[in-house]
Amino acid sequence: MLKPDLLKAKIRTKEEVLTKTNEYIVKENLKQLGLNKKYYVKTYGCQMNEHDSENIKAILEDMSFTETDDMESADLILLNTCAIRENAHNKVFGMVGRIKNLKEKNPNLIAGICGCMAQEEVVVNEILEKYNFLDIVFGTHNIHNLPNILYTAINKKDLEVEVLSIEGEVIENIPVKRNSKYKAWVNIMYGCDKFCTYCIVPYTRGKQRSREPIYIIDEVKDLVEKGYQEVTLLGQNVNAYGKDLNINYDMSNLLEDVAKTGINRIRFVTSHPWDFNDSMIEVIKKYDNIMPYIHLPLQSGSDSILKLMGRRYTKKSYIELYNKLKSALPNSSITTDIIVGFPNETEEDFNETLDVVNTCKFDGAFTFIFSPRVGTPAAKMADNVSLEEKNQRLYKLNELVNKYSKEANDRYLNKIVPVLIEGTSEKDESMLMGYTDTMKLVNVKAPKEYIGKIINVKIKEIKTWSMDGEIAE
Ligand code: 5AD
Ligand code: SF4
């Protein structure tokens, strides 16, 4: 058993991270392990996790498992989990309860937990105590070893826990089963070294490790050849890309090289205001295939809270960066993340946040109540703000955020915008859906042959979370 260790997960060494190109292998005797067996993978959390699940699925298919979207009929269930807030935990443990019932009906069912929660010491202790009917727990650093972990779990009959607390190498040969034929996630880096005081990610995802540029560019070139229209470059803090490689190459260089592959659309998430430099802005401006959409987490507008959060910028410098982006890219949309109710956030602190929202008028914002994560510095801070107060602040913030979001969307009425059509609309089968270059959800009445294409759409109606349009001649 290899259990996660919080103290080890905190360690950052200066050692160079190696790239391994043949670390993932499925032994001959494991290639048929999943024959006539179905797997079900449920993903919680961010795009990084979505992409990890695409890797996990491909690995399972290398072992002859086939996918099902019906959990009840699966022979193997994996929950790829998120640790970012307590409610993500609760959802997973709710699902584990359902798995217990399924296992009572089908004793051969293999079920497990992976992803960020598996990297948490407290979670694994809880699983060992209360949920040890599960078969397998593995983390974010050893996905490539899944065939062997699974084999051990199947043969062992008790819970197999294999979680590494130190990240290891960058593995380049993990297969992927992509969810879409038109847009693809591409990891550019793993981990994070920022250690914002509220955040669990530096512990669950390890030290910052950038992929070498050549592997990223080759992956994008291959996607272009396969007909992909869009790539999203993924990392916890993409603007810091390259800082850990001993080469003189940063995010602006990478963006430029990816733009030159000719892929139609490039997005990148998530940016930290700290590392957003002028050359990046120049490159975004220069290339039409880099989308004018930036997600720029604010977290708080109060300088004293930002300091307690360890964010390394002030209200003033955030607004300056925002204005710089808007003047260089006037048609861009900018969204953000905001946390309310950080320990001891005062009414004045909260008003500073509202003030930034009033100044920046974001296209959208993801808003959260602070959730203490065991092991992070903020979880140990005394807190005198009641949950009722935090809920009221969240409500007030959401009202303001929604007002500006609606105003931003209203500006699209009667405009013609490019939309990458992804498929049929969930709510209305007769409509197609897709996103604008600025990441606005658009529903459009159009024939199915447009799926996978970027088309010009005239916006006819603005709704709360989407827009309706028609094909522009
Ligand atoms: N509590 C609440 N929200 C959090 N986030 C990260 N950690 C926490 C936490 N402990 C939010 C931040 C981040 C987004 C992905 O989740 O706003 O940008
Ligand atoms: Fe969840 Fe963050 Fe981990 Fe993504 S990186 S899965 S959001 S904890």
Side-chain angles (χ1 to χ4, degrees):
M1 180 175 320
L2 267 175
K3 277 172 55 180
D5 177 335
L6 187 74
L7 290 174
K8 278 195 197 151
K10 272 187 194 168
I11 297 172
R12 290 297 182 268
T13 59
K14 290 255 175 294
E15 266 165 58
E16 199 189 336
V17 175
L18 299 175
T19 297
K20 292 262 170 97
T21 53
N22 48 14
E23 193 71 4
Y24 165 73
I25 21 172
V26 186
K27 288 190 207 120
E28 236 11 81
N29 63 329
L30 302 187
K31 285 188 178 154
Q32 309 288 314
L33 195 75
L35 209 62
N36 302 321
K37 291 193 177 129
K38 287 180 273 180
Y39 73 84
Y40 174 80
V41 175
K42 175 141 183 82
T43 313
Y44 300 83
C46 65
Q47 294 101 329
M48 187 72 73
N49 251 21
E50 290 286 342
H51 188 41
D52 283 349
S53 288
E54 293 184 330
N55 292 132
I56 290 169
K57 290 177 183 183
I59 295 175
L60 294 174
E61 299 198 2
D62 277 357
M63 300 170 79
S64 304
F65 285 93
T66 45
E67 185 168 12
T68 173
D69 53 12
D70 169 29
M71 183 166 103
E72 313 260 320
S73 70
D75 304 282
L76 167 66
I77 300 174
L78 288 178
L79 307 181
N80 189 9
T81 61
C82 171
I84 201 96
R85 281 172 293 275
E86 196 55 35
N87 59 0
H89 273 213
N90 298 342
K91 277 190 212 158
V92 168
F93 282 125
M95 198 58 136
V96 170
R98 279 181 62 191
I99 291 177
K100 188 174 184 199
N101 291 337
L102 291 175
K103 276 183 88 77
E104 276 159 14
K105 281 189 234 150
N106 172 11
N108 293 326
L109 172 65
I110 299 286
I113 286 196
C114 58
C116 285
M117 272 171 72
Q119 291 291 146
E120 289 182 284
E121 204 176 312
V122 277
V123 169
V124 172
N125 287 337
E126 193 173 344
I127 293 173
L128 286 166
E129 242 172 67
K130 296 196 211 147
Y131 307 100
N132 56 9
F133 54 86
L134 290 170
D135 303 279
I136 164 174
V137 175
F138 64 98
T140 57
H141 302 314
N142 54 352
I143 290 174
H144 61 281
N145 200 25
L146 177 56
N148 303 322
I149 301 174
L150 202 52
Y151 180 73
T152 315
I154 289 172
N155 288 300
K156 187 169 130 186
K157 295 276 174 225
D158 359 298
L159 175 57
E160 169 68 4
V161 177
E162 258 197 60
V163 181
L164 310 180
S165 295
I166 308 257
E167 49 287 322
E169 300 89 4
V170 170
I171 317 286
E172 282 298 346
N173 68 329
I174 306 181
V176 57
K177 182 189 181 201
R178 299 195 187 271
N179 278 342
S180 161
K181 284 190 286 202
Y182 318 111
K183 49 180 215 177
W185 311 114
V186 174
N187 278 327
I188 63 168
M189 64 203 297
Y190 305 96
C192 177
D193 290 344
K194 284 281 183 288
F195 285 101
C196 299
T197 57
Y198 51 82
C199 188
I200 194 76
V201 170
Y203 311 87
T204 61
R205 292 274 170 181
K207 121 173 168 179
Q208 174 174 321
R209 290 147 290 147
S210 298
R211 283 177 77 193
E212 288 176 32
I214 181 81
Y215 295 106
I216 300 169
I217 294 155
D218 281 352
E219 184 172 341
V220 178
K221 281 184 181 160
D222 181 54
L223 289 163
V224 175
E225 261 171 41
K226 291 185 171 132
Y228 277 81
Q229 301 275 6
E230 181 176 305
V231 291
T232 302
L233 308 179
L234 289 181
Q236 301 302 346
N237 175 18
V238 290
N239 311 2
Y241 173 81
K243 290 193 170 175
D244 52 304
L245 297 171
N246 289 326
I247 51 175
N248 193 9
Y249 190 95
D250 68 7
M251 184 59 180
S252 65
N253 303 114
L254 180 70
L255 271 178
E256 182 147 33
D257 282 340
V258 173
K260 285 179 183 161
T261 63
I263 184 99
N264 279 329
R265 287 182 158 199
I266 300 158
R267 302 188 188 280
F268 52 93
V269 280
T270 286
S271 294
H272 186 299
W274 171 258
D275 295 301
F276 215 118
N277 62 22
D278 289 353
S279 27
M280 253 184 87
I281 302 177
E282 282 312 304
V283 173
I284 300 170
K285 207 168 132 180
K286 183 167 160 197
Y287 290 92
D288 286 346
N289 55 350
I290 305 179
M291 295 298 96
Y293 164 70
I294 292 155
H295 185 64
L296 194 69
L298 165 70
Q299 313 301 6
S300 169
S302 149
D303 286 346
S304 59
I305 296 291
L306 285 170
K307 194 156 190 199
L308 285 173
M309 288 178 162
R311 289 291 286 176
R312 311 174 193 207
Y313 54 85
T314 59
K315 175 185 179 191
K316 183 163 170 277
S317 67
Y318 182 94
I319 294 174
E320 273 166 15
L321 173 62
Y322 180 93
N323 287 337
K324 206 190 305 183
L325 285 166
K326 273 284 172 187
S327 60
L329 310 158
N331 297 322
S332 60
S333 77
I334 301 184
T335 56
T336 198
D337 289 342
I338 299 171
I339 299 175
V340 299
F342 190 79
N344 300 320
E345 181 190 60
T346 63
E347 197 62 34
E348 292 81 63
D349 291 321
F350 176 61
N351 285 335
E352 295 283 328
T353 300
L354 296 181
D355 194 41
V356 180
V357 174
N358 278 318
T359 307
C360 296
K361 304 179 171 61
F362 296 105
D363 281 73
F366 297 102
T367 56
F368 314 101
I369 289 181
F370 167 73
S371 170
R373 312 312 303 129
V374 176
T376 61
K380 295 188 202 93
M381 293 179 191
D383 189 2
N384 61 8
V385 190
S386 70
L387 185 61
E388 195 191 349
E389 178 67 39
K390 293 182 187 198
N391 273 314
Q392 279 169 5
R393 287 182 193 166
L394 183 69
Y395 185 83
K396 202 166 168 189
L397 174 65
N398 284 343
E399 296 263 284
L400 197 64
V401 159
N402 293 345
K403 177 182 129 189
Y404 289 120
S405 185
K406 175 80 171 46
E407 272 182 31
N409 286 356
D410 282 344
R411 287 196 288 275
Y412 283 69
L413 192 64
N414 293 321
K415 290 240 169 73
I416 294 177
V417 285
V419 176
L420 167 56
I421 302 293
E422 291 179 18
T424 49
S425 159
E426 257 177 42
K427 289 200 189 113
D428 181 350
E429 274 282 309
S430 71
M431 303 278 272
L432 301 183
M433 57 71 66
Y435 287 87
T436 63
D437 51 352
T438 51
M439 203 66 174
K440 307 279 180 191
L441 175 61
V442 175
N443 291 306
V444 51
K445 223 177 190 76
K448 291 214 165 61
E449 59 257 30
Y450 284 106
I451 295 176
K453 302 207 163 66
I454 297 171
I455 59 171
N456 283 329
V457 174
K458 183 161 185 184
I459 302 299
K460 301 298 282 182
E461 194 186 339
I462 308 292
K463 298 188 168 162
T464 320
W465 310 115
S466 65
M467 307 171 184
D468 283 354
E470 58 190 34
I471 299 175
E473 295 308 323

